[in-house]
Amino acid sequence: MAEAAVKQPVEERELTDGFHLIIDALKLNGVKTIYGVPGIPITDFGRMCQGAGIRVISFRHEQNAGYAASIAGFLTKQPGICLTVSAPGFLNGLTALAHATTNCFPMILISGSSEREIVDLAQGDYEEMDQLAIAKTMCKAAYRVLHAADIGIGVARAIRAAASGRPGGVYLDLPAKLFGQVMDAEAGKKSLVKVIDAAPAQIPAPEAVKRALDVLKSAKRPLIILGKGAAYAQADDAIRSLVEKTGIPFLPMSMAKGLLPDTHPQCAGAARSTVLAQSDVVMLIGARLNWLLSHGKGKTWGDPHSRKFIQIDIEPKEMDSNVEIAAPVVGDIGSCVSALLQGLGGHWPPPPADWIKTVTSKRDENVAKMAPRLMNNNHPMDYHGALGVLRTIVKERPDAILVNEGANTLDLARGIIDVYKPRKRLDVGTWGIMGVGMGSAIAAAIETGKPVLAIEGDSAFGFCGMEIETICRYNLPVCVVIFNNDGIYRGTDVNPSGGSDPATTVFVKGARYDKMIEAFGGIGVNATSPDELKRAVNAAMDSGKPTLINAVLDPAAGSESGRIGNLNPQSALKKK
Ligand SMILES: Cc1ncc(C[n+]2csc(CCOP(=O)(O)OP(=O)(O)O)c2C)c(N)n1
Ligand SMILES: [Mg+2]
């Protein structure tokens, strides 16, 4: 066991140490799971956490452990915990911490660190780095605990900072010496702090609610946009009531899909361009006007003078970030939506019939256009053929969690696969980051106990693929489907120089990713047709056994950057 424990003096019963105090502080605050990678100075700490009944999920790389922690935060509203070693482990976890902050997921990155005296004099300690200074620029808050007596308050501060207001990533720096520091056990116990109401309700001002309802009432072509903040809030019933009582068409952002079913009669997902361009009043619920919504202006949005925005967000400075917000409603989503519901009263006039008709006929037209493509049995498979069968599988298994990343694999799956329940779709989030797939899949399985279907581009999977060993080791009900088109966007590019190196976007042709999982005792399947894919996924979802399916796609099937090729910079000069 712990070296420190072995070295303790005889009177150990009256004493405690940093190891135990950190564990006690985490347990007192309801931490049940830690995602991390062991090593100096946190190896014994991880063992002791496991011994004390905290579930410790050991990963192969800290970045994936961090993504798992961030998704645990999204799914549970409790900060997900990632534990790493110093310098390199810390840096590996830091990407995930920044990702959590950008996405407003509560997460705490706890990293061991080297001796302060040596680090501060830059004397070259083992894994020396001023981690606190670096972390500060990349997360919501960062703290360091130097004394055992401050562990309680340090942990409490980290939890509250991560979960309250707009949630985000928090860094907690624990120098190696802290773990072995000894103090009186009774005083140690008293120093612990239980965080009461980590994310207090923030009630919107009544006049803000009234203003919003007045603007909404004036609408001829209203639209509600649901963001992942709305999914995070777990105010599912209230949100559904607000949408249904107003009768307004709604558009879910990708991780808000399923908050109301994508098949709901008011869902405008398949008429996105129409509703964005033509709506006159848009109510944003937990959705930001960032690049994913074209900043609320420009071609996507049509005439700027004929539109007003109502925005519901917990962060006041989100308002007017890109365009004028006619009716800002600041507060937590649950409280704001409840207040709006109350303000609606018993009789709210439905939106004008011609608007509803415009939206539904566009939606039905687009859905009908797509239908035959999803039934194709092309050989080699294309995205639509493969996604057509996965769409049906998800429909038949609405409790399963869908994880999705890639470029074409992401953009097409997002549009094609309907989601039926809240927080059942996890993806690349605000940054469009590659590599979140396996961490998200692992956290989803651990936190919810539900089966997971991860649809991964072959490139996206490469960022986190080694974690299939983790999936096998913990025997998690995860089925990974790799859309293998031999590369990034496509597998058909050629080296423009005519040299023998492959093009920058292509991978080994005909790679057999299914063989990888067999190395760890999982089930590997090579699927070359929609029928084979369907059979293999259904078998995996029924058995709950770790499975990896190599779905062989036409290497020419994808398009550059999926649906966001327009973001690639262009020069006025001709390409060479
Ligand atoms: C961390 C990170 N690195 C690089 C990128 C750039 N990028 C965007 S999509 C993508 C991979 C797309 O290929 P794949 O996952 O195979 O999907 P496909 O389009 O082929 O279906 C990459 C590398 C990114 N988004 N995130
Ligand atoms: Mg690919």
Side-chain angles (χ1 to χ4, degrees), residues 317-394:
K317 64 177 190 291
E318 189 57 45
M319 307 299 159
D320 309 318
S321 59
N322 284 274
V323 293
E324 180 183 287
I325 301 300
V329 184
V330 174
D332 71 276
I333 304 276
S335 301
C336 291
V337 172
S338 298
L340 285 164
L341 261 176
Q342 232 169 27
L344 288 183
H347 196 70
W348 184 265
D354 58 343
W355 172 236
I356 299 298
K357 187 150 176 279
T358 304
V359 179
T360 45
S361 54
K362 189 72 204 169
R363 185 193 64 198
D364 296 348
E365 182 192 321
N366 285 342
V367 168
K369 234 191 278 171
M370 179 78 82
R373 299 185 69 188
L374 299 178
M375 283 154 59
N376 88 63
N377 217 2
N378 289 347
H379 192 95
M381 278 190 279
D382 61 19
Y383 286 93
H384 289 84
L387 287 168
V389 297
L390 296 178
R391 176 182 203 257
T392 306
I393 289 170
V394 171

Side-chain angles (χ1 to χ4, degrees), residues 145-326:
V145 181
L146 288 176
H147 303 293
D150 292 332
I151 286 170
I153 205 71
V155 168
R157 210 151 156 56
I159 291 172
R160 188 172 290 283
S164 62
R166 170 174 279 178
V170 173
Y171 175 60
L172 188 60
D173 191 86
L174 303 181
K177 264 190 195 164
L178 179 75
F179 292 90
Q181 260 185 43
V182 168
M183 70 179 285
D184 176 77
E186 193 53 36
K189 200 171 166 194
K190 285 194 185 133
S191 73
L192 299 182
V193 176
K194 185 166 164 58
V195 179
I196 311 295
D197 194 9
Q202 288 180 227
I203 313 291
E207 51 277 25
V209 173
K210 181 172 181 309
R211 189 186 299 120
L213 288 170
D214 288 346
V215 172
L216 199 60
K217 206 166 239 173
S218 73
K220 301 262 177 318
R221 298 180 305 280
L223 173 69
I224 291 174
I225 299 183
L226 302 171
K228 65 177 164 328
Y232 174 81
Q234 298 194 16
D236 308 338
D237 292 346
I239 289 170
R240 191 182 182 123
S241 295
L242 182 70
V243 170
E244 290 182 341
K245 281 199 173 148
T246 58
I248 297 173
F250 70 92
L251 184 68
M253 301 302 288
S254 110
M255 281 176 65
K257 276 165 73 79
L259 207 42
L260 286 87
D262 283 330
T263 48
H264 191 283
Q266 286 168 251
C267 183
R272 188 178 193 271
S273 321
T274 303
V275 290
L276 292 186
Q278 295 185 22
S279 52
D280 67 345
V281 170
V282 177
M283 181 153 75
L284 301 155
I285 306 183
R288 293 171 286 182
L289 283 174
N290 57 20
W291 73 279
L292 287 157
L293 284 171
S294 307
H295 307 282
K297 55 194 172 193
K299 229 171 47 201
T300 311
W301 288 92
D303 177 12
H305 304 297
S306 61
R307 178 175 301 97
K308 285 182 175 160
F309 285 103
I310 302 165
Q311 184 160 26
I312 303 176
D313 202 286
I314 201 161
E315 175 58 59
K317 64 177 190 291
E318 189 57 45
M319 307 299 159
D320 309 318
S321 59
N322 284 274
V323 293
E324 180 183 287
I325 301 300

